[in-house]
């Protein structure tokens, strides 16, 4: 259920918020700063992410202004809006990089993101992909995924790291999912820009995140790569929850998902793409007349 269209039980009530280490093991960090692994998330109310009245100010400027948003378990949501709308700051709050001045942020019903470190949040099951792909250019596709499994042991120790039970299978599955199985032995630096984007997504997938944040995943991609990326994300939705920040309206249309428009740090409009594109306020501040 969407918070803006009906009541959602507020996370953490009446349950006590837990601020203990998550996931039952040490966190490992990949080349892009992603940390493994997923913990147990209470999605009994079908809500994976719940933000309420989040405010973040920088030197008096409100990057987020009482932002409220909820994402259902398994949902894909596109976030659009003009530059300065608060999209990046919102993702920074979700991942623990930025602490809100006011408001609440929950992963599921019991995990208070405002009381967790970046490593705890990532280990709890949130993966973030930045706009520019972050892969080991000199390593092969397979080695990049091996390194993502091995964590923060360093380059050479990671390559000697023995994979745990199930990790090898996850690597194979991830390569198949993103369409890079045939490129397994190819050096990442020789991949196309789109293939590098897919490789980084695969590096996140093997860590089994519940929620994926993707920042402009088709920036610089060809039309064919953009279409393949949309197909990939539609395939991932359901098994994972996805928040996709994007400016390309053609790509957003291909995602076939609910769209939230941010403006001046708060939600301006929400609905399917046709609904938000016809909203006079959205046309005025973002799409242009």
């Amino acid at each position: 259920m969407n918070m803006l269209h009906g009541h959602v039980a507020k996370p953490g009530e009446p349950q006590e918020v837990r601020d203990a280490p998550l996931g039952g093991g040490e966190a490992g960090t990949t080349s892009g700063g992603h940390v493994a692994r997923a913990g147990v998330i209470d999605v009994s109310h079908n809500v994976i992410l719940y933000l309420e009245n989040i405010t973040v100010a920088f030197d008096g400027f409100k990057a987020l202004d009482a932002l409220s948003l909820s994402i259902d378990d398994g949902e894909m949501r596109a976030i659009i809006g003009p530059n300065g709308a608060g999209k990046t700051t919102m993702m920074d709050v979700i991942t623990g990089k930025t602490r809100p001045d006011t408001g609440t942020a929950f992963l599921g019903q019991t995990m208070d993101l405002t009381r967790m470190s970046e490593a705890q949040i990532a280990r709890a099951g949130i993966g973030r992909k930045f706009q520019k792909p972050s892969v080991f250019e000199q390593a092969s596709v397979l080695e990049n995924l091996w390194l993502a499994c091995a964590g923060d042991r360093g380059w050479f120790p990671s390559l000697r790291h023995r994979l745990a039970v199930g990790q090898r299978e996850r690597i194979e599955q991830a390569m198949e999912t993103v369409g890079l199985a045939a490129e397994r032995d190819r050096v990442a630096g020789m991949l196309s820009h789109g293939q590098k984007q897919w490789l980084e997504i695969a590096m996140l997938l093997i860590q089994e995140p519940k929620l994926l944040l993707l920042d402009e995943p088709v920036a610089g991609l060809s039309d064919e790569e953009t279409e393949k990326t949309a197909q990939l994300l539609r395939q991932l939705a359901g098994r994972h929850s996805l928040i996709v920040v994007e400016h390309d309206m053609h790509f957003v249309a291909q995602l076939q998902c609910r769209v939230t428009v941010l403006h001046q740090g708060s939600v301006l409009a929400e609905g399917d793409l046709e609904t938000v594109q016809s909203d006079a306020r959205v046309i005025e501040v973002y799409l242009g007349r």
Side-chain angles (χ1 to χ4, degrees), residues 56 61-67 81-87 261-268 285:
V56 175
F61 169 73
K62 287 188 176 180
L64 295 178
D65 187 5
L67 173 66
N83 291 331
K87 303 183 296 294
V261 185
L262 297 189
H263 177 56
Q264 296 181 346
S266 59
V267 174
L268 177 66
V285 305

Side-chain angles (χ1 to χ4, degrees), residues 3-217:
M3 184 179 60
L4 302 180
H5 292 80
H7 176 70
V8 172
K10 292 184 179 181
E13 298 177 354
Q15 292 167 292
E16 180 183 357
V17 175
R18 295 164 177 82
D19 191 24
L22 302 166
E26 294 185 357
T29 305
T30 74
S31 61
H34 313 297
V35 183
R37 292 203 25 192
V40 177
I41 303 172
D42 179 2
V43 290
S44 56
H45 290 278
N46 198 40
V47 175
I48 187 73
L49 180 71
Y50 183 94
L51 308 178
E52 184 175 29
N53 294 325
I54 296 290
T55 297
V56 175
F58 300 112
D59 297 325
F61 169 73
K62 287 188 176 180
L64 295 178
D65 187 5
L67 173 66
S68 294
L69 179 73
S70 70
I71 306 296
D72 288 346
D73 185 30
E75 177 186 3
M76 176 160 59
R77 178 76 61 86
I79 307 291
I80 66 174
N83 291 331
K87 303 183 296 294
T88 298
T89 305
M90 179 195 70
M91 291 194 291
D92 287 347
V93 168
I94 294 170
T95 55
K97 183 178 180 181
T98 296
R99 298 296 184 190
D101 299 316
T102 62
T104 57
F106 273 82
L107 181 64
Q109 293 294 306
T110 60
M111 295 185 186
D112 184 350
L113 299 177
T114 67
R115 295 178 56 186
M116 296 163 63
S117 69
E118 289 184 70
Q120 283 180 314
I121 289 172
R123 192 162 66 244
I126 294 181
R128 182 175 183 178
K129 189 203 171 306
F130 293 88
Q131 180 177 342
K132 183 180 179 180
S134 178
V135 299
F136 291 103
E137 296 273 340
Q138 302 304 315
S140 70
V141 168
L142 181 61
E143 287 169 340
N144 267 275
L145 295 174
W146 189 294
L147 289 164
C149 274
D152 59 356
R153 295 175 174 83
W155 178 278
F156 291 109
S158 293
L159 290 179
R160 294 195 300 268
H161 169 66
R162 178 174 296 179
L163 296 179
V165 175
Q167 286 183 324
R168 189 178 300 276
E169 289 75 13
R170 288 205 302 275
I171 287 175
E172 296 293 336
Q173 183 178 4
M175 286 191 295
E176 289 287 346
T177 298
V178 302
L180 291 178
E183 311 291 339
R184 61 191 302 125
D185 296 320
R186 192 174 185 186
V187 174
M190 299 299 293
L191 298 175
S192 71
H193 182 59
Q195 289 174 320
K196 290 178 183 177
Q197 297 279 34
W198 303 332
L199 174 56
E200 189 173 22
I201 291 174
M203 293 168 72
L204 287 171
L205 291 179
I206 59 175
Q207 297 169 49
E208 300 180 307
K210 287 289 292 181
L211 174 63
L212 279 169
L213 310 181
L214 302 114
D215 188 3
E216 298 189 42

Side-chain angles (χ1 to χ4, degrees), residues 206-259:
I206 59 175
Q207 297 169 49
E208 300 180 307
K210 287 289 292 181
L211 174 63
L212 279 169
L213 310 181
L214 302 114
D215 188 3
E216 298 189 42
V218 297
L221 268 59
S222 67
D223 290 345
E224 181 181 1
E225 289 175 330
T226 296
E227 184 176 351
K228 287 183 178 179
T229 301
Q231 293 173 351
L232 170 60
L233 299 189
R234 291 198 305 269
Q235 179 183 350
L236 295 178
R239 287 184 289 164
H240 308 268
S241 304
L242 295 90
I243 294 178
V244 184
V245 170
E246 190 52 68
H247 287 289
D248 186 333
M249 290 300 99
H250 179 65
F251 173 66
V252 172
Q254 293 181 65
L255 295 180
Q256 302 170 12
C257 68
R258 191 171 185 82
V259 178

